Amino acid sequence: MTAMRTPRSLSSALLAALGSSLLLGACALPFSPPDPAVQQAAPKTPEKIPVSRLLRKPGGFYTDDSPDGSMKIDIDQIAEPLPRTEDLNPIANQPYSVFGREYVPLTSVQAYKRQGTASWYGRKFHGQKTTSGEVYDMFALSAAHPTLPIPSFARVTNLGNGRSVLVRVNDRGPFHSGRMMDVSYAAAFKLGFAEEAIANIEVESIVTAAAPAQATEPSPLVAPPPEAPPVTPIAAEPTGLFLQLGAFANPANAENFSARLKRELDWLAHPLAVYGRSGLYRLYLGPFKDRAEANATSKKLQEALDVKPVVIRR
């Protein structure tokens, strides 16, 4: 505390009173007991938010989907993929339906430029099969898109900070309302939103010279596409109350989507199963004992994913 200059004529009593007043004004407050009426509660440790909820709502960090422990990979040093001509995957580019919405993937690499929102996916899917049949690597620069050809390349730009990165599209999704793309953890890191849930982006496809349409014979200069994930036997369609979550022309895509939901929604209490009929492979959740139970699960799915599955009776 800086000493205050006073005239010598002041009495010692006045100096003592003034000194006491200054000490009281400057030093007493920190030692006063807190007023219970204004005392604030100590901050609580935030609860971990399920990834499925983070995929829908902005403003959170993927506490259970980010890299486990300290990263040993310098993501800044990961080089962008080199755009090249690849044969399109004949399985991954077939029409399909998810949560009642129809998707028709592009069957050739062509001009595409859209703006929307993106999220990212990481550790929960690391090492799992993508729709292309390739293994997902959260440290590769890749992306999932509902309709862009698989595989293809796109330039993704974060409209919030101007950063951009080239990604290779090798997976399907997202299927939540309002989002147009899911990128890998590494891509989100380079785009500057790895610690956030979503970002506003622009996606522009990269069209290389002589980009092929769907092909049946691989080019001798390009490695053949990886094998599709194994498909479990397709049972006869059962009867009862179900939630239909998707319909696919290829059983491998149905199984892939089923596995994705199991990883995202670990709270599901009813089995997911694929059933084939009339050339389509439908993903059902159930059966449910009654419509009230089916409606309750449908509502929970709507809250988690911002979608509304339909209850059906077979």
Side-chain angles (χ1 to χ4, degrees):
M1 185 183 301
T2 304
M4 184 174 182
R5 296 179 179 271
T6 56
R8 295 181 183 274
S9 59
L10 287 175
S11 66
S12 59
L14 179 58
L15 285 171
L18 181 59
S20 299
S21 175
L22 288 172
L23 285 171
L24 180 63
C27 304
L29 184 58
F31 297 96
S32 301
D35 185 350
V38 297
Q39 188 177 11
Q40 295 183 349
K44 297 180 180 179
T45 302
E47 263 185 75
K48 285 189 175 184
I49 305 174
V51 174
S52 57
R53 188 168 296 277
L54 285 171
L55 287 173
R56 180 171 66 91
K57 295 184 177 180
F61 179 59
Y62 290 86
T63 53
D64 57 353
D65 207 29
S66 57
D68 190 9
S70 58
M71 287 191 299
K72 298 180 181 179
I73 297 177
D74 187 354
I75 297 180
D76 287 325
Q77 299 303 313
I78 297 176
E80 293 185 341
L82 179 65
R84 61 189 184 276
T85 299
E86 294 187 68
D87 293 309
L88 301 190
N89 188 306
I91 295 176
N93 294 296
Q94 295 184 9
Y96 62 98
S97 169
V98 170
F99 298 122
R101 182 176 177 181
E102 302 291 330
Y103 296 91
V104 181
L106 299 174
T107 56
S108 65
V109 178
Q110 55 191 265
Y112 175 97
K113 190 174 184 179
R114 301 283 190 278
Q115 292 184 357
T117 56
S119 188
W120 60 268
Y121 57 129
R123 180 158 48 96
K124 277 198 170 184
F125 298 89
H126 188 66
Q128 304 293 328
K129 289 291 185 79
T130 63
T131 305
S132 66
E134 301 169 357
V135 174
Y136 172 66
D137 181 357
M138 64 188 291
F139 298 111
L141 297 176
S142 63
H145 191 277
T147 59
L148 282 178
I150 291 179
S152 62
F153 297 85
R155 171 68 61 183
V156 181
T157 303
N158 185 340
L159 298 177
N161 57 23
R163 297 185 188 179
S164 70
V165 69
L166 191 69
V167 297
R168 182 171 177 270
V169 180
N170 67 350
D171 204 2
R172 289 288 174 230
F175 304 116
H176 311 290
S177 176
R179 292 210 327 276
M180 67 180 298
M181 177 174 274
D182 278 345
V183 300
S184 65
Y185 174 80
F189 187 94
K190 283 182 173 284
L191 288 168
F193 74 100
E195 294 190 2
E196 302 169 4
I198 62 172
N200 292 320
I201 63 163
E202 180 177 86
V203 177
E204 184 173 8
S205 61
I206 304 298
V207 181
T208 59
Q214 252 177 328
T216 55
E217 293 295 331
S219 166
L221 301 179
V222 180
E227 294 182 2
V231 179
T232 56
I234 306 300
E237 194 166 331
T239 58
L241 277 173
F242 294 87
L243 295 179
Q244 181 174 309
L245 306 183
F248 302 81
N250 191 284
N253 293 341
E255 291 291 346
N256 181 279
F257 182 55
S258 175
R260 186 183 184 99
L261 286 180
K262 288 175 183 176
R263 290 190 292 269
E264 285 191 29
L265 307 174
D266 51 11
W267 49 264
L268 290 176
H270 293 79
L272 284 165
V274 176
Y275 300 96
R277 179 171 61 88
S278 303
L280 283 179
Y281 298 89
R282 296 172 174 83
L283 178 61
Y284 288 164
L285 177 66
F288 298 93
K289 62 182 180 181
D290 53 37
R291 186 166 289 274
E293 184 185 37
N295 286 336
T297 302
S298 177
K299 182 179 179 181
K300 194 171 181 180
L301 282 168
Q302 184 176 2
E303 291 173 349
L305 303 177
D306 202 17
V307 297
K308 189 175 182 180
V310 178
V311 179
I312 62 172
R313 182 180 292 276
R314 308 305 305 176

